[in-house]
């Protein structure tokens, strides 16, 4: 096509060959140049590099939505669509020229290939499959081929759970991207997200999250296939087809290769695979991707770039013009052409299409990108509205009108979908303010729209980060992974913190998660649990080496009857009691915990059982003392019943035996710690606080009563207390107490009161007195109940004092005599000369 094409150079090769780097260096070997990129993101990235190299004043940035144009600029970094054609420079470079075969944008790349030339050199960068078409167009073009620095290898199908760190997962619609990202967050801790619809600022921020290794995974569309140089080790396709704006189609081998080629940077090998749900990939295509050997591009899209705006018919005719070479495909139905054809038939617009200026204006408006990807009438209505506003306002957009459109977007509330829509809408106004002179104060609106877009982008980035990255995962995905949580989790009184956020508390050999903690991903939870398990293993080792006296039952007074009885190490629960074969043989079992192994649980249980057996032997020593062989059967029976009943047993059962008991037998009982009271056998050593509470625990564990109350126990060494808790009689016996009308008192103190009462009665009936109430801490009514329990009867006298006495005859005789005595008392004129002076009535007469 061109005879003078010796200054043309094509640098071709697969991804990761250093094409862009080589071209970048060549550009700066000339005094001026233009570099065209397929993405605004790449243009900005290389603009920033150029600024660092030659200074801000020497470099320009030209994209659809961003214009930085210093007066002395020598180097221009642009999107392909924005490459200027009216500037003379020494070198022009066009990147990814294989996109000339792309249905949507191909005709634009073809136009740059055909019509842009540098004064000294023009360079085309692209894949190897574009070589033959370039040589058809330019037979004398110099082709410089580059080999990939690293190998690209196919791996078998993989699920997301099997993906190694530094992987990119590719999806082809936004819903699928978000679904996968949520999955990765849950199981891998988090992911960055890269979509073509994101603003460049948001994409940059997300890429930075990945590049800084705050996450190990990236979920992206095919947007990463175009020159995004990321440190990706592996690319996994979640689908092998995409919707290209018209229909779903399978990805071509070279498209797959372009994306898969992002795996492996410089000399580090990469790999690719696809998930099970993606379907199957032909082994020949896999081989093509691995060897970068794709079918040559035979044809590219072309559209006439010399448009005639003299009339509607002339413009449409120039758009219909066909290429003269068969390796060009005439581009039909480009989006701008479709927009134009639709709007010229609109009655409100048609009447203005009578001049070249108005027709050209409509064409320019029809080229405003559909950033929202609406593909519907709303987009056309917006273009129509802009056109009519310009026509009716002398080709200027009124400040009030655009301010109304932009102001509603200056709101950063909403979720990811809302923010994405707002960004796409503000990009329309950013594009207009940067590309046309339709605004009176275009500089103001450039700044205004850019600021709103940036703030929306930052908010969207934060929303994506918060949604798809578990904040706590950062502790576990850095290069130098810390395997033990003790190095990165602060321990304070067994509380675990991730930075300043409390995660939970280690209690015993378990981790109790804080209810207020933010939801963690399974990835972070598994890492935390792995590290906590190491900490607890150390704690178990310390426990197994700790002395037995560090184990206890905690505060027994706070134990409910129907609750488990826990065993504490210090102040932390580590085990619990279970019912054994007998009341004195409970089982100590370690508490269940996912953080202790089966072996450690057995070791913990064994140590707890050893402690428990020692406690029973030491605390309840009299109950375990071996009996001498020469103890007679009656004493043996007394001892057996005392042992079976926590050392306390009614004397009534052995009343006859005690009448003939020898002094030697009494001595044997005394050696065993058993005391003989008036009403009970009892063991004083078991009535102290610790053994008393121990006996209550044993009773509770063995009988397992479903009573939702605290164990009724005396506090602070008190010998009596009141309670409304209804307990079986054998409970009170187990702790060595007697319960009469909800007043509970200790057996040994009861025996003391009974002894004092007997001493008083030797002198005859006696009145209630403080010396009877004080030892047991009771009031008058409670003393009355106790003495009645002892067999005494009473009479109330005038000042409500009670007189206690005993009647030794049979019950019926007692009643008769009592009634006769009362009758005689009421007869003032009769006196019984034979009346017993020690009878209660004789005493009562004296008192009255």
């Amino acid at each position: 096509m061109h005879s003078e094409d010796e200054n043309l150079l094509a640098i071709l090769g697969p991804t990761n060959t250093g094409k862009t780097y080589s071209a970048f260096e060549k550009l700066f070997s000339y005094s001026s140049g233009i570099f065209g990129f397929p993405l605004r993101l790449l243009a900005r990235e290389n603009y920033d590099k150029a600024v660092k190299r030659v200074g801000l004043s020497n470099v320009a940035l030209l994209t659809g939505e961003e214009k930085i144009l210093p007066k002395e600029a020598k180097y221009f970094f642009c999107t392909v669509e924005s490459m200027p054609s009216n500037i003379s420079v020494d070198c022009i470079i066009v990147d990814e020229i294989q996109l000339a075969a792309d249905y949507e944008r191909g005709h634009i790349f073809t136009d740059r290939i055909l019509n842009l030339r540098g004064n000294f050199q023009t360079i085309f960068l692209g894949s190897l499959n574009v070589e033959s078409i370039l040589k058809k167009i330019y037979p004398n073009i110099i082709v410089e081929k580059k080999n990939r620095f690293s190998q690209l290898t196919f791996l078998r199908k993989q699920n997301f759970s099997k993906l190694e760190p530094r992987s990119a997962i590719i999806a082809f619609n936004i819903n699928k991207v978000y679904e996968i990202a949520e999955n990765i967050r849950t199981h891998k801790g988090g992911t960055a997200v890269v979509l073509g619809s994101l603003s460049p600022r948001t994409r940059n921020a997300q890429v930075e999250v990945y590049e800084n290794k705050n996450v190990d995974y990236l979920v992206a569309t095919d947007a990463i296939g175009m020159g995004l140089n990321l440190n990706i080790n592996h690319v996994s396709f979640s689908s092998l087809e995409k919707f290209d704006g018209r229909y779903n189609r399978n990805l071509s081998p070279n498209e797959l290769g372009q994306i898969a080629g992002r795996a492996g940077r410089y000399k580090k090998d990469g790999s690719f695979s696809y998930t099970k749900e993606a379907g199957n990939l032909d082994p020949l295509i896999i081989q093509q991707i691995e060897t970068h050997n794709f079918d040559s591009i035979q044809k590219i899209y072309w559209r006439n770039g010399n448009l005639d705006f003299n009339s509607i018919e002339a413009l449409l005719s120039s758009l219909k013009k066909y290429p003269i070479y068969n390796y060009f495909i005439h581009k039909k139905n480009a989006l701008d052409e479709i927009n134009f054809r639709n709007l010229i038939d609109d009655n409100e617009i048609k009447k203005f299409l009578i001049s070249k200026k108005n027709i050209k204006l409509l064409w320019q408006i029809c080229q405003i990108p559909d950033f929202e990807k609406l593909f519907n009438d709303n987009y056309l209505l917006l273009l129509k509205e802009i056109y009519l506003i310009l026509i009716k306002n002398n080709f200027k957009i009124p400040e009030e009108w655009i301010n109304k459109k932009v102001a509603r977007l200056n709101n950063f509330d909403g979720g990811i979908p809302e923010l994405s829509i707002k960004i796409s809408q503000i990009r329309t106004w950013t594009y207009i303010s940067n590309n046309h002179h339709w605004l009176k104060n275009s500089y103001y609106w450039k700044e205004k729209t850019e600021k709103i877009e940036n703030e929306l982008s930052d908010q969207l980035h934060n929303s994506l980060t918060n949604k798809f990255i578990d904040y706590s995962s950062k502790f576990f995905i850095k290069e130098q992974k810390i395997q033990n949580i003790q190095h990165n989790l602060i321990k304070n009184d067994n509380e675990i913190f991730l930075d300043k956020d409390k995660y939970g508390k280690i209690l015993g050999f378990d981790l109790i998660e804080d209810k207020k903690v933010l939801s963690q991903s399974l990835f972070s939870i598994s890492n935390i649990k792995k590290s906590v398990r190491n900490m607890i293993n150390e704690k178990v080792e310390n426990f197994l080496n700790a002395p037995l006296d560090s184990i206890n039952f905690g505060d027994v007074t706070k134990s409910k009857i129907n609750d488990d009885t826990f065993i504490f190490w210090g102040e932390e629960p580590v085990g619990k009691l279970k019912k054994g074969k007998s009341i004195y043989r409970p089982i100590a079992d370690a508490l269940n915990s996912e953080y202790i192994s089966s072996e450690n649980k057995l070791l913990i249980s064994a140590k707890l059982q050893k402690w428990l057996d020692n406690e029973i032997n030491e605390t309840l020593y009299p109950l375990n003392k071996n009996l001498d062989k020469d103890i007679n059967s009656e004493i043996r029976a007394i001892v057996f019943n005392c042992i079976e009943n926590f050392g306390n047993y009614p004397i009534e059962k052995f009343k006859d035996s005690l009448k003939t008991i020898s002094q030697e037998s009494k001595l044997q009982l005394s050696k065993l710690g058993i005391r003989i009271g008036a009403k009970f056998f009892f063991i004083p050593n078991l009535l102290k606080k610790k053994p008393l509470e121990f006996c209550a625990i044993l009773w509770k564990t063995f009988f397992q009563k479903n009573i939702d109350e605290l164990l009724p126990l005396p506090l602070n060494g008190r010998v009596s207390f009141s309670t409304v808790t209804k307990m079986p009689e054998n409970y009170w016996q187990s702790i060595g107490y007697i319960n009469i009308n909800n007043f509970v008192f200790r057996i040994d103190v009861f025996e003391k009161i009974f002894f004092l009462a007997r001493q008083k009665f030797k002198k005859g009936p006696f009145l209630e007195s403080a010396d009877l109430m004080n030892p047991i801490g009771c009031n008058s009514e409670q003393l009355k109940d106790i003495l009645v329990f002892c067999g005494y009867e009473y009479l109330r006298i005038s000042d409500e004092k009670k007189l206690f006495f005993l009647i030794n005859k049979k019950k019926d005789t007692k009643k008769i005599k009592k009634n006769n005595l009362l009758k005689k008392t009421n007869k003032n004129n009769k006196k019984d000369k034979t009346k017993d002076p020690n009878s209660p009535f004789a005493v009562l007469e004296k008192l009255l």
Side-chain angles (χ1 to χ4, degrees), residues 273-313:
S273 67
Y274 54 93
T275 62
K276 293 180 179 179
E277 64 180 21
N280 289 295
L281 199 57
D282 191 308
L284 293 177
I285 295 178
I286 292 173
Q287 185 180 20
Q288 284 182 293
I289 296 171
E290 287 182 322
T291 58
H292 323 294
N293 184 19
F294 303 107
D295 294 339
S296 295
I297 294 173
Q298 299 299 322
K299 295 185 177 185
I300 56 178
Y301 286 93
W302 177 91
R303 186 173 76 177
N304 180 24
N306 186 21
L307 300 179
D308 185 352
F309 292 101
N310 286 309
S311 68
I312 295 295
E313 292 74 17

Side-chain angles (χ1 to χ4, degrees), residues 812-824:
D812 292 340
T813 306
K814 286 180 183 178
K815 288 182 180 179
I816 294 169
K817 188 173 182 179
K818 182 177 179 181
N819 290 334
N820 290 335
L821 288 170
L822 287 171
K823 288 178 182 178
K824 290 178 181 179

Side-chain angles (χ1 to χ4, degrees), residues 372-387:
E372 289 188 70
K373 305 298 180 187
L374 295 174
F375 302 114
N376 59 29
D377 291 343
N378 287 336
Y379 176 49
L380 281 174
L381 289 173
L382 174 64
L383 300 182
K384 174 185 174 180
E385 186 179 12
I386 293 172
Y387 181 77

Side-chain angles (χ1 to χ4, degrees), residues 236-394:
S236 175
F237 291 90
S238 69
S239 174
L240 300 173
E241 63 177 32
K242 66 176 285 188
F243 180 75
D244 63 2
R246 295 174 296 166
Y247 50 81
N248 277 327
R249 63 172 179 82
N250 290 329
L251 291 160
S252 66
N254 61 294
E255 286 176 315
L256 290 168
Q258 184 75 21
I259 299 168
R262 292 301 152 196
R265 298 313 305 158
Y266 193 45
K267 294 186 178 181
K268 187 173 183 179
D269 292 342
S271 59
F272 69 98
S273 67
Y274 54 93
T275 62
K276 293 180 179 179
E277 64 180 21
N280 289 295
L281 199 57
D282 191 308
L284 293 177
I285 295 178
I286 292 173
Q287 185 180 20
Q288 284 182 293
I289 296 171
E290 287 182 322
T291 58
H292 323 294
N293 184 19
F294 303 107
D295 294 339
S296 295
I297 294 173
Q298 299 299 322
K299 295 185 177 185
I300 56 178
Y301 286 93
W302 177 91
R303 186 173 76 177
N304 180 24
N306 186 21
L307 300 179
D308 185 352
F309 292 101
N310 286 309
S311 68
I312 295 295
E313 292 74 17
L315 178 57
L316 293 177
S317 178
S318 60
L319 285 170
K320 289 180 181 177
K321 184 177 179 180
Y322 275 79
I324 59 175
Y325 296 102
N326 63 2
Y327 45 76
F328 290 136
I329 304 170
H330 180 226
K331 174 61 182 173
K332 299 177 182 179
N333 298 324
L335 185 59
D336 52 2
E337 185 178 343
I338 292 173
N339 294 337
F340 187 78
R341 289 181 181 276
N342 282 319
L343 290 176
I344 58 176
D345 292 330
D346 186 279
N347 290 330
E348 291 183 67
I349 290 178
K350 188 183 293 186
K351 60 185 178 183
F352 295 108
L353 300 177
I354 54 176
S355 68
K356 182 176 182 179
K357 184 176 182 180
N358 288 0
I359 294 171
K360 192 169 186 178
L361 174 65
L362 181 61
W363 178 252
Q364 290 172 337
I365 288 173
C366 287
Q367 289 186 306
I368 296 174
D370 179 15
F371 292 108
E372 289 188 70
K373 305 298 180 187
L374 295 174
F375 302 114
N376 59 29
D377 291 343
N378 287 336
Y379 176 49
L380 281 174
L381 289 173
L382 174 64
L383 300 182
K384 174 185 174 180
E385 186 179 12
I386 293 172
Y387 181 77
L388 293 176
I389 282 289
L390 286 167
I391 289 291
K392 295 175 181 178
N393 290 278
N394 197 26

Side-chain angles (χ1 to χ4, degrees), residues 9-21 23 35-40 42-43 46 78-81 83 93-102 105-110 112-113 123-131 133-134 222-229 254-255 257-259 261-262 265 297 300:
L9 170 66
I11 303 176
L12 308 179
T15 56
N16 192 26
T17 57
K19 300 188 299 291
T20 306
Y21 175 81
F35 204 142
F37 295 92
L39 298 173
R40 174 185 172 190
L42 292 174
N46 284 277
C78 322
T79 52
V80 170
E81 285 83 350
M83 293 177 75
I93 302 171
V94 184
D95 193 18
E96 305 290 1
I97 57 164
Q98 74 275 4
L99 288 178
D102 178 71
R105 302 171 68 197
H107 62 286
I108 299 168
F109 281 79
T110 300
R112 304 303 183 257
I113 291 170
I123 303 173
F124 302 131
L125 308 179
S127 58
L128 291 167
N129 63 344
V130 79
E131 179 183 8
I133 193 76
L134 284 177
D222 51 350
I224 72 163
M226 292 296 163
L228 283 178
N229 297 314
N254 61 294
E255 286 176 315
Q258 184 75 21
I259 299 168
R262 292 301 152 196
R265 298 313 305 158
I297 294 173
I300 56 178

